[in-house]
Amino acid sequence: MIKSNIETIRQSIPPHVKLVCVSKFQPSSSITDAYNAGERLFGENRPQEMAEKAPNLPSDIEWHFIGNLQTNKVKTVAPIATLIHSVSNERLLDEIEKQATKLDKFVDILIELHVANEETKQGFSPSEASNILSANFSEKYPHLRPCGVMGMATFTDNESIIRQEFKTIYQTFQSLKLSLFKEKDYFCEISMGMSSDYQIAIEEGATIVRIGSSIFGHRQYT
Ligand SMILES: *Cc1c(COP(=O)(O)O)cnc(C)c1O
Protein backbone atom coordinates (compact mmCIF):
# COMPACT_ATOMS: atom_id res chain seq x y z
CA MET A 1 0.00 0.00 0.00
CA ILE A 2 2.63 2.53 1.09
CA LYS A 3 4.89 1.50 -1.77
CA SER A 4 2.20 1.96 -4.40
CA ASN A 5 1.11 5.28 -2.87
CA ILE A 6 4.68 6.49 -3.14
CA GLU A 7 4.96 5.30 -6.74
CA THR A 8 1.81 7.23 -7.63
CA ILE A 9 2.99 10.40 -5.91
CA ARG A 10 6.48 10.17 -7.38
CA GLN A 11 4.93 10.16 -10.86
CA SER A 12 3.37 13.55 -10.19
CA ILE A 13 6.49 15.18 -8.71
CA PRO A 14 9.21 16.49 -11.02
CA PRO A 15 12.70 15.21 -10.16
CA HIS A 16 13.95 18.57 -8.82
CA VAL A 17 11.23 18.64 -6.15
CA LYS A 18 12.09 16.93 -2.86
CA LEU A 19 9.53 14.72 -1.16
CA VAL A 20 9.36 14.78 2.62
CA CYS A 21 7.33 11.78 3.80
CA VAL A 22 5.44 13.08 6.82
CA SER A 23 5.56 10.17 9.24
CA LYS A 24 4.16 11.84 12.36
CA PHE A 25 1.89 9.52 14.34
CA GLN A 26 2.94 6.64 12.09
CA PRO A 27 4.72 3.53 13.39
CA SER A 28 8.34 2.84 12.52
CA SER A 29 7.21 -0.13 10.41
CA SER A 30 5.50 2.31 8.02
CA ILE A 31 8.67 4.38 7.81
CA THR A 32 10.58 1.21 6.98
CA ASP A 33 8.13 0.46 4.16
CA ALA A 34 8.67 3.92 2.69
CA TYR A 35 12.42 3.57 3.18
CA ASN A 36 12.38 0.28 1.30
CA ALA A 37 10.48 2.02 -1.49
CA GLY A 38 13.46 4.38 -1.79
CA GLU A 39 12.48 7.34 0.39
CA ARG A 40 15.08 9.02 2.60
CA LEU A 41 13.46 12.25 3.83
CA PHE A 42 11.00 11.99 6.69
CA GLY A 43 9.13 14.75 8.50
CA GLU A 44 8.01 14.76 12.11
CA ASN A 45 6.21 17.40 14.15
CA ARG A 46 6.68 16.19 17.72
CA PRO A 47 10.22 16.36 19.13
CA GLN A 48 9.89 13.38 21.47
CA GLU A 49 8.46 11.18 18.74
CA MET A 50 11.29 12.08 16.40
CA ALA A 51 13.88 11.43 19.11
CA GLU A 52 12.41 7.99 19.81
CA LYS A 53 12.12 6.91 16.19
CA ALA A 54 15.40 8.18 14.74
CA PRO A 55 17.94 5.97 16.58
CA ASN A 56 16.11 2.77 15.63
CA LEU A 57 15.88 3.47 11.92
CA PRO A 58 18.54 3.53 9.19
CA SER A 59 21.14 6.23 9.71
CA ASP A 60 20.91 7.54 6.15
CA ILE A 61 17.42 8.86 6.82
CA GLU A 62 17.27 12.63 6.95
CA TRP A 63 14.84 13.88 9.56
CA HIS A 64 13.07 17.16 8.91
CA PHE A 65 11.24 18.92 11.70
CA ILE A 66 8.08 20.43 10.26
CA GLY A 67 5.81 21.36 13.16
CA ASN A 68 5.22 24.05 15.66
CA LEU A 69 8.38 24.03 17.77
CA GLN A 70 8.55 25.18 21.37
CA THR A 71 11.81 26.78 22.47
CA ASN A 72 12.29 24.27 25.27
CA LYS A 73 12.18 21.42 22.72
CA VAL A 74 14.91 22.81 20.47
CA LYS A 75 17.56 20.86 22.39
CA THR A 76 15.77 17.63 21.44
CA VAL A 77 15.39 18.56 17.78
CA ALA A 78 18.69 20.29 16.96
CA PRO A 79 20.95 17.20 17.23
CA ILE A 80 18.71 15.11 14.95
CA ALA A 81 17.07 17.33 12.34
CA THR A 82 18.92 18.02 9.10
CA LEU A 83 16.41 20.78 8.32
CA ILE A 84 14.00 22.65 10.58
CA HIS A 85 11.17 23.93 8.37
CA SER A 86 9.11 25.74 10.92
CA VAL A 87 11.18 28.57 12.35
CA SER A 88 8.38 30.97 13.10
CA ASN A 89 9.65 33.52 15.59
CA GLU A 90 12.76 35.27 16.85
CA ARG A 91 12.96 33.44 20.19
CA LEU A 92 13.25 30.23 18.27
CA LEU A 93 16.13 31.60 16.23
CA ASP A 94 17.90 32.61 19.45
CA GLU A 95 17.40 29.17 20.98
CA ILE A 96 18.46 27.23 17.87
CA GLU A 97 21.61 29.35 17.71
CA LYS A 98 22.27 28.59 21.38
CA GLN A 99 21.84 24.83 20.94
CA ALA A 100 23.80 24.77 17.68
CA THR A 101 26.68 26.53 19.44
CA LYS A 102 26.65 23.89 22.18
CA LEU A 103 26.60 21.12 19.60
CA ASP A 104 29.25 22.90 17.56
CA LYS A 105 27.28 22.35 14.37
CA PHE A 106 25.51 24.32 11.66
CA VAL A 107 21.75 23.98 11.60
CA ASP A 108 19.82 24.39 8.36
CA ILE A 109 16.55 26.22 8.77
CA LEU A 110 13.64 27.53 6.75
CA ILE A 111 11.86 30.72 7.70
CA GLU A 112 8.16 29.99 8.14
CA LEU A 113 5.95 32.58 6.48
CA HIS A 114 2.48 33.41 7.66
CA VAL A 115 0.39 33.88 4.53
CA ALA A 116 -2.81 32.04 5.42
CA ASN A 117 -6.02 33.60 6.39
CA GLU A 118 -5.93 31.99 9.82
CA GLU A 119 -4.74 33.57 13.04
CA THR A 120 -3.82 30.15 14.37
CA LYS A 121 -1.05 29.63 11.87
CA GLN A 122 2.48 30.60 12.84
CA GLY A 123 5.18 32.48 11.05
CA PHE A 124 6.75 35.74 9.96
CA SER A 125 5.02 38.17 7.64
CA PRO A 126 6.97 38.78 4.43
CA SER A 127 8.29 42.10 5.77
CA GLU A 128 9.26 40.60 9.13
CA ALA A 129 11.12 37.84 7.29
CA SER A 130 13.01 40.42 5.31
CA ASN A 131 13.90 42.38 8.46
CA ILE A 132 15.07 39.36 10.41
CA LEU A 133 17.17 38.00 7.57
CA SER A 134 18.83 41.31 6.79
CA ALA A 135 19.66 42.79 10.19
CA ASN A 136 23.13 41.25 10.66
CA PHE A 137 21.62 37.79 10.52
CA SER A 138 24.88 35.95 10.03
CA GLU A 139 26.61 37.85 12.85
CA LYS A 140 23.73 37.29 15.22
CA TYR A 141 23.20 33.66 14.20
CA PRO A 142 26.55 32.32 12.98
CA HIS A 143 25.49 28.67 13.35
CA LEU A 144 22.25 28.99 11.40
CA ARG A 145 22.01 28.59 7.67
CA PRO A 146 18.78 29.98 6.18
CA CYS A 147 18.00 27.66 3.27
CA GLY A 148 14.74 29.25 2.18
CA VAL A 149 11.13 29.58 3.24
CA MET A 150 8.24 27.38 4.30
CA GLY A 151 4.53 28.03 4.39
CA MET A 152 1.08 26.57 4.68
CA ALA A 153 -2.03 27.62 2.84
CA THR A 154 -5.37 28.28 4.47
CA PHE A 155 -7.38 25.15 5.19
CA THR A 156 -10.04 25.57 2.50
CA ASP A 157 -11.50 23.93 -0.61
CA ASN A 158 -11.12 27.19 -2.49
CA GLU A 159 -8.29 26.50 -4.88
CA SER A 160 -7.81 30.11 -5.90
CA ILE A 161 -7.14 31.15 -2.28
CA ILE A 162 -4.60 28.34 -1.91
CA ARG A 163 -2.92 29.24 -5.18
CA GLN A 164 -2.75 32.92 -4.26
CA GLU A 165 -1.10 32.10 -0.93
CA PHE A 166 1.47 29.88 -2.62
CA LYS A 167 2.16 32.70 -5.07
CA THR A 168 2.80 35.01 -2.11
CA ILE A 169 5.27 32.50 -0.62
CA TYR A 170 7.03 32.18 -3.96
CA GLN A 171 7.24 35.93 -4.48
CA THR A 172 8.53 36.45 -0.95
CA PHE A 173 11.23 33.87 -1.57
CA GLN A 174 12.22 35.55 -4.84
CA SER A 175 12.42 38.97 -3.29
CA LEU A 176 14.53 37.70 -0.35
CA LYS A 177 16.75 35.85 -2.77
CA LEU A 178 17.35 38.92 -4.92
CA SER A 179 17.83 41.37 -2.09
CA LEU A 180 19.79 39.28 0.43
CA PHE A 181 20.96 35.92 -0.93
CA LYS A 182 21.81 36.50 -4.56
CA GLU A 183 25.22 34.87 -4.31
CA LYS A 184 24.21 32.29 -1.72
CA ASP A 185 23.43 28.99 -3.36
CA TYR A 186 22.15 27.47 -0.13
CA PHE A 187 19.16 29.83 -0.04
CA CYS A 188 17.17 27.80 -2.54
CA GLU A 189 14.23 26.00 -0.92
CA ILE A 190 10.51 26.70 -0.96
CA SER A 191 8.71 24.17 1.25
CA MET A 192 4.99 24.22 0.52
CA GLY A 193 2.25 21.75 -0.33
CA MET A 194 0.73 18.81 1.57
CA SER A 195 -1.45 15.88 0.50
CA SER A 196 -4.39 18.02 -0.50
CA ASP A 197 -2.57 20.81 -2.31
CA TYR A 198 0.91 19.70 -3.34
CA GLN A 199 0.13 19.75 -7.05
CA ILE A 200 -0.85 23.40 -6.86
CA ALA A 201 2.27 24.07 -4.77
CA ILE A 202 4.51 22.49 -7.40
CA GLU A 203 2.87 24.57 -10.12
CA GLU A 204 3.60 27.65 -8.01
CA GLY A 205 7.26 26.84 -7.49
CA ALA A 206 7.64 24.49 -4.50
CA THR A 207 11.03 22.78 -4.22
CA ILE A 208 9.98 20.64 -1.22
CA VAL A 209 6.56 19.09 -0.65
CA ARG A 210 5.52 17.55 2.67
CA ILE A 211 3.14 14.65 2.21
CA GLY A 212 1.72 12.46 4.96
CA SER A 213 -1.74 10.97 4.63
CA SER A 214 -1.55 10.32 0.87
CA ILE A 215 1.43 8.07 1.58
CA PHE A 216 0.65 6.49 4.93
CA GLY A 217 -3.14 6.77 5.11
CA HIS A 218 -4.99 8.45 7.92
CA ARG A 219 -3.18 9.13 11.16
CA GLN A 220 -4.27 7.51 14.42
CA TYR A 221 -4.01 10.43 16.83
CA THR A 222 -2.89 9.08 20.14
C1 LIG B 1 1.02 16.96 8.99
C2 LIG B 1 1.73 17.98 8.16
C3 LIG B 1 1.90 17.80 6.79
C4 LIG B 1 1.33 16.62 6.01
O1 LIG B 1 -0.06 16.68 5.96
P1 LIG B 1 -0.89 15.63 5.05
O2 LIG B 1 -2.17 16.33 4.83
O3 LIG B 1 -1.03 14.40 5.89
O4 LIG B 1 -0.14 15.39 3.82
C5 LIG B 1 2.62 18.76 6.10
N1 LIG B 1 3.13 19.83 6.72
C6 LIG B 1 2.99 20.04 8.04
C7 LIG B 1 3.59 21.25 8.66
C8 LIG B 1 2.28 19.12 8.81
O5 LIG B 1 2.14 19.34 10.13
Side-chain angles (χ1 to χ4, degrees), residues 21 23 48 89 105 113 140 145 166 201 218:
C21 302
S23 49
Q48 197 51 41
N89 61 65
K105 75 177 243 190
L113 297 172
K140 207 167 164 201
R145 202 162 66 136
F166 287 156
H218 288 296

Side-chain angles (χ1 to χ4, degrees), residues 151-214:
M152 272 189 275
T154 301
F155 184 69
T156 172
D157 289 337
N158 186 330
E159 197 183 305
S160 68
I161 292 178
I162 295 170
R163 190 176 293 280
Q164 192 49 55
E165 290 171 352
F166 287 156
K167 280 185 197 298
T168 302
I169 294 170
Y170 180 83
Q171 284 158 2
T172 305
F173 169 85
Q174 288 299 342
S175 111
L176 294 168
K177 178 80 188 166
L178 277 175
S179 58
L180 301 168
F181 297 100
K182 218 169 172 179
E183 314 284 302
K184 310 281 196 239
D185 289 345
Y186 56 78
F187 192 85
C188 64
E189 304 291 6
I190 303 173
S191 168
M192 59 186 188
M194 333 198 327
S195 291
S196 57
D197 55 18
Y198 74 91
Q199 276 151 336
I200 306 171
I202 290 170
E203 286 164 18
E204 299 304 331
T207 66
I208 303 177
V209 292
R210 311 176 307 266
I211 302 182
S213 42
S214 293

Side-chain angles (χ1 to χ4, degrees), residues 124-137:
F124 294 93
S125 70
S127 66
E128 287 166 345
S130 168
N131 288 336
I132 196 85
L133 286 168
S134 56
N136 306 326
F137 186 90

Side-chain angles (χ1 to χ4, degrees), residues 13-131:
I13 301 181
H16 70 273
V17 174
K18 294 176 191 143
L19 170 60
V20 174
C21 302
V22 176
S23 49
K24 63 188 187 193
F25 296 92
Q26 303 291 349
S28 293
S29 59
S30 297
I31 299 177
T32 302
D33 287 350
Y35 181 91
N36 289 337
E39 299 305 325
R40 293 295 180 270
L41 304 184
F42 291 87
E44 293 282 341
N45 74 341
R46 297 189 299 177
Q48 197 51 41
E49 183 176 342
M50 189 171 84
E52 281 163 18
K53 284 171 170 174
N56 302 313
L57 285 158
S59 61
D60 61 342
I61 286 180
E62 289 189 30
W63 296 97
H64 287 199
F65 193 83
I66 61 169
N68 182 14
L69 181 55
Q70 288 167 331
T71 43
N72 63 351
K73 298 290 165 55
V74 170
K75 60 178 173 308
T76 307
V77 168
I80 306 168
T82 56
L83 183 63
I84 303 176
H85 288 229
S86 40
V87 179
S88 55
N89 61 65
E90 218 171 324
R91 274 177 303 114
L92 213 40
L93 287 167
D94 295 341
E95 184 64 21
I96 300 171
E97 173 60 31
K98 187 175 145 193
Q99 297 300 330
T101 307
K102 275 194 195 165
L103 293 164
D104 193 22
K105 75 177 243 190
F106 293 100
V107 176
D108 286 349
I109 60 161
L110 300 179
I111 295 295
E112 181 168 357
L113 297 172
H114 181 125
V115 296
N117 229 318
E118 291 159 9
E119 286 299 321
T120 51
K121 293 226 160 88
Q122 321 271 324
F124 294 93
S125 70
S127 66
E128 287 166 345
S130 168
N131 288 336

